[in-house]
Amino acid sequence: AALSPNTGLMLAALGGGLGFWGAWRSAGRWALAAAGVATPLAMLAIAYFRLAPFETSIVFGGMSLVLAILFLAALSFLDKRLDGEAPHREAVLAAYAIGTVGAIAGAMTILLGDGWLPVGLSLLTAGIIWIRGKWKLRALPPVALAVAALTGYVIWHNPTIVQPQLLGSHPIFNALLYGYGVPALSFAWCAWTLAHRDHERGRVQQTFEAIAVFAGMLTFSV
């Protein structure tokens, strides 16, 4: 039988609650934290694709934002309560940080149309790097790079940003300006921040530099 919405909500709450308890109290906290993040996200995704696939939905978008807030609250709580020497502490914090990012990305996908989705994703990329400055989690820069790649895919899928008939006749001040310009600025900020704030001149930082240059060139060429 198909899973009812109430049953799905109950399983999401149960999985998320048990995962949080395990992340706080259990010796196997990293696995339980991952399960506590993945279960609510999976239940929400299943419900969305069953009831409103690929449609703009305030209800499902709002639920995804609520999940992001709950994950961020759990991240802040565990950051304060877990001892610095607690086993798998960084993996637990990374799980909730990635869950927060995933829930926000899901909300953007559900709530935003094509015109604002690349802008939202690129700003989310910058937000992940900003979070990296507060929580020194090694998993976050690669996640930011993955979101940047998703931004590029969205632009590649719809290079006019909006539907061509909505683009207008203005040669500069149209959807192309913010659709390409905001991601270029966001990626440049990510590269600069990784290099100067954290002194992380590694592959991720260098990749962001290359992406920012490429995005900037596209902005000036469109």
Side-chain angles (χ1 to χ4, degrees), residues 6 16 33 35 46 58-59 62 86 99 103-104 111 121 126 140 147 188 196 198 206 220:
N6 289 337
I46 291 171
I58 296 178
V59 173
I104 295 174
L111 293 173
L121 289 174
L140 292 184
V147 178
H196 292 83
D198 300 326
Q206 293 168 1
F220 285 109

Side-chain angles (χ1 to χ4, degrees), residues 156-181:
W156 173 82
H157 182 70
N158 187 13
T160 59
I161 306 302
V162 296
Q163 297 301 318
Q165 62 270 22
L166 301 177
L167 194 57
S169 58
H170 297 287
I172 297 176
F173 298 102
N174 53 41
L176 297 177
L177 180 62
Y178 65 78
Y180 285 84

Side-chain angles (χ1 to χ4, degrees), residues 45-160:
I46 291 171
Y48 172 69
F49 284 110
R50 277 191 57 213
L51 301 176
F54 304 107
E55 296 179 4
T56 301
S57 172
I58 296 178
V59 173
F60 284 107
M63 291 173 65
S64 191
L65 287 177
V66 169
L67 273 183
I69 293 171
L70 291 175
F71 289 153
L72 185 59
L75 171 61
S76 300
F77 179 87
L78 294 170
D79 183 40
K80 295 175 182 177
R81 295 302 182 94
L82 288 180
D83 185 80
E85 301 300 321
H88 311 298
R89 181 180 188 274
E90 182 172 326
V92 168
L93 297 182
Y96 280 101
I98 293 171
T100 302
V101 170
I104 295 174
M108 288 180 173
T109 302
I110 296 170
L111 293 173
L112 298 179
D114 290 340
W116 288 101
L117 183 55
V119 173
L121 289 174
S122 65
L123 292 176
L124 178 59
T125 303
I128 298 170
I129 298 300
W130 178 83
I131 293 173
R132 174 67 173 83
K134 183 173 177 59
W135 288 285
K136 304 297 182 181
L137 304 176
R138 289 170 290 180
L140 292 184
V143 171
L145 198 57
V147 178
L150 180 59
T151 307
Y153 172 78
V154 170
I155 295 175
W156 173 82
H157 182 70
N158 187 13
T160 59

